[in-house]
Amino acid sequence: MEIPEQFFTVYQETWLFLGSCLLGVPLGILWDAMRLLRCLLPHHSVAVFLEDVLLVFAAAVAVQCYAIVFARSALRYYDALGCACGFAIYCCTVGAVTGRILHRIRHGRTALAHQMKHMCCLIWKKIAGVFVRCPEKRRKRCKMSKNA
């Protein structure tokens, strides 16, 4: 039985590192998807914690699968480091832009909710004014007719 060689050349290690950097991009996209979910549906901090745990678990599984497929089943430190670097580069470039977009969505959602609340209050005041002010108007008319 022959044991497969576990050593890589510098050239191969460089390509494995760059490939693991590219692995950070889908994790950044997953992170942005979770941020969008948090923006559209605000929820309790326990749910946010569970989402973050799910993201870390997905990153660990992705790095391990990458090592199994491309690195002859040997997980090396530069696989995880490359994934973290790719994730950081994604967050500093595309993630910054999506962060601004998500901030506008969140601000627009709260502004829309405020406008809807204001509109409902105005409609309610008009409807309530029809029923509540009727006796007041009648009293004023009665006082005017008595004074005349």
Side-chain angles (χ1 to χ4, degrees), residues 24-140:
V25 174
L27 295 173
I29 293 170
L30 179 64
W31 183 62
D32 276 340
M34 288 186 179
R35 282 179 25 181
L36 179 65
L37 179 70
R38 292 177 193 167
C39 179
L40 294 177
L41 304 170
H43 41 277
H44 198 269
S45 59
V46 174
V48 172
F49 172 74
L50 292 175
E51 289 174 358
D52 290 341
V53 168
L54 179 69
L55 179 69
V56 170
F57 183 72
V61 169
V63 170
Q64 185 62 39
C65 290
Y66 177 80
I68 289 171
V69 172
F70 295 108
R72 300 183 199 139
S73 299
L75 180 62
R76 296 198 167 42
Y77 71 91
Y78 56 80
D79 293 333
L81 182 66
C83 184
C85 287
F87 181 77
I89 289 169
Y90 176 85
C91 289
C92 291
T93 55
V94 178
V97 173
T98 57
R100 284 188 227 125
I101 291 170
L102 292 175
H103 177 72
R104 287 183 182 179
I105 289 172
R106 183 181 310 124
H107 179 69
R109 185 180 56 88
T110 55
L112 181 64
H114 179 70
Q115 288 176 352
M116 293 292 287
K117 181 180 175 184
H118 182 69
M119 189 182 309
C120 289
C121 286
L122 287 176
I123 292 171
W124 176 252
K125 285 180 182 179
K126 292 210 182 248
I127 291 172
V130 169
F131 296 108
V132 174
R133 292 185 184 170
C134 285
E136 293 174 5
K137 288 180 182 178
R138 288 181 189 154
R139 285 184 204 149
K140 287 181 183 178

Side-chain angles (χ1 to χ4, degrees), residues 3-20:
I3 298 174
E5 185 179 336
Q6 290 294 318
F7 297 105
F8 293 106
T9 64
V10 175
Y11 177 76
Q12 290 171 328
E13 286 181 351
T14 303
W15 279 107
L16 286 172
F17 177 75
L18 292 175
S20 62

